[in-house]
Amino acid sequence: MVEALRPGPGSYFADGTVGGGGHAAALLRASGPGGRLAGCDRDGMAVEAAKARLSEFAGRFEIRQGNYAELAEWVEAGSCDGVLLDLGVSSAQLDLAERGFSFQEDGPLDMRMDQRQELTAARLVNETDADALAEIFWRYGNQEQSRRMARAIAREREARPIERTRQLAELIEKISPRMGRKTHPATRIFQALRMAVNDEIGSLQRGLEAAMKILKPGGRLAVITFHSVEDRVVKEFGRRLSRDYESPGEEDVPELRRPRPALARWVWRRGLKAGEAETRENPRSRSAQCRVLEKLKI
Ligand SMILES: C[S@@+](CC[C@H](N)C(=O)[O-])C[C@H]1O[C@@H](n2cnc3c(N)ncnc32)[C@H](O)[C@@H]1O
């Protein structure tokens, strides 16, 4: 991150996923004594943890609980040298069974990053009709047997509500036995539910736009993704901004292109991955990739 965002004396950063404050601390240290940071996280527990971790930099940061999609509402337009988004869940969230993100240990089917929100994974699983559930599993989990899984869930919940993480994982395992596979068959279902509960793709799309607004020309946006569904959104965003034309609608139809200067350039277009030493020390970094874009002066 430090290499990607090049902190200098007095740099100003926005960290949209401040989590435990690890990246924020590195950026503040590397931009001291005048560097500043605006940070947010949807998770109130993360906000408290980050404030404690960053106490040595008191006076140089402001941290709020909130969605990074709303960063441009409180961080001044054109003010940041760098913006960081480190997507997904944190180890602190995964490792706490009560948060319901993991089925390694039993917990309530919750998965809310912001616990002030009403929608939980249990509500989604018990109240969404089978077709819409299948769509979530397909779209956010690339789950091949999405319809079968959704129908089995709909049958099960008629007998009793599905309220616990192990209960759901065991049901999925019954429909799709593991048979020597390395990853548990429920992994993609849990990923898909988590993304739907937290509207992660909607937040990412709005967050990338917000990041571009608050960056200075020449400022950099670094995004760390953990799976192909979110990575595709970042790649497509970068591709669109680095073109010297715009196309109306979803499709890029050559006849409809309108010329305009490129708004950004790729610094790391091909995602940078963790090396062997880092994955050994931190196995969860295995699936992470970092892409970096620079806002252009126009
Ligand atoms: C991988 S962790 C970040 C770890 C952090 N970079 C660090 O150094 O400790 C991801 C964090 O992003 C938060 N998060 C996910 N989506 C968010 C969103 N749309 N807005 C704000 N925070 C979000 C999660 O609550 C979680 O704490």
Side-chain angles (χ1 to χ4, degrees), residues 15-24 40-43 46 66-69 84 86-90 93 113 203 226:
D15 182 347
T17 51
V18 79
H23 285 120
C40 72
D41 200 292
R42 292 177 92 172
D43 187 338
N67 192 326
Y68 60 64
L84 161 64
D86 177 14
L87 305 180
V89 274
S90 65
Q93 290 165 333
M113 287 182 183
S203 294
F226 286 86

Side-chain angles (χ1 to χ4, degrees), residues 76-192:
E76 199 184 319
S79 66
C80 294
D81 297 287
V83 177
L84 161 64
L85 301 176
D86 177 14
L87 305 180
V89 274
S90 65
S91 291
Q93 290 165 333
L94 274 174
D95 295 342
L96 211 59
E98 300 96 87
R99 300 297 300 268
F101 287 105
S102 159
F103 50 84
Q104 302 305 337
E105 275 183 69
D106 190 36
L109 208 45
D110 186 321
M111 303 195 191
R112 289 169 302 169
M113 287 182 183
D114 184 340
Q115 292 181 296
R116 301 169 302 186
Q117 171 183 310
E118 275 186 24
L119 181 66
T120 62
R123 269 193 61 188
L124 201 68
V125 163
N126 290 295
E127 296 175 17
T128 310
D129 74 60
D131 286 346
L133 261 188
E135 171 71 20
I136 289 172
F137 298 159
W138 173 247
R139 182 169 330 151
Y140 297 143
N142 292 336
Q143 176 68 53
E144 278 166 16
Q145 305 189 53
S146 54
R147 279 181 194 284
R148 236 179 108 214
M149 304 267 181
R151 278 201 299 267
I153 288 174
R155 267 196 310 277
E156 174 77 7
R157 72 194 185 191
E158 275 174 27
R160 58 189 179 133
I162 303 171
E163 283 171 339
R164 310 286 301 175
T165 57
R166 294 278 337 149
Q167 185 188 356
L168 178 61
E170 280 161 19
L171 173 66
I172 301 295
E173 202 171 2
K174 240 191 277 165
I175 313 162
S176 170
R178 205 163 171 159
M179 298 201 292
R181 272 181 289 173
K182 244 201 210 153
T183 46
H184 191 286
T187 306
R188 281 161 180 260
I189 295 292
F190 271 63
Q191 172 186 308

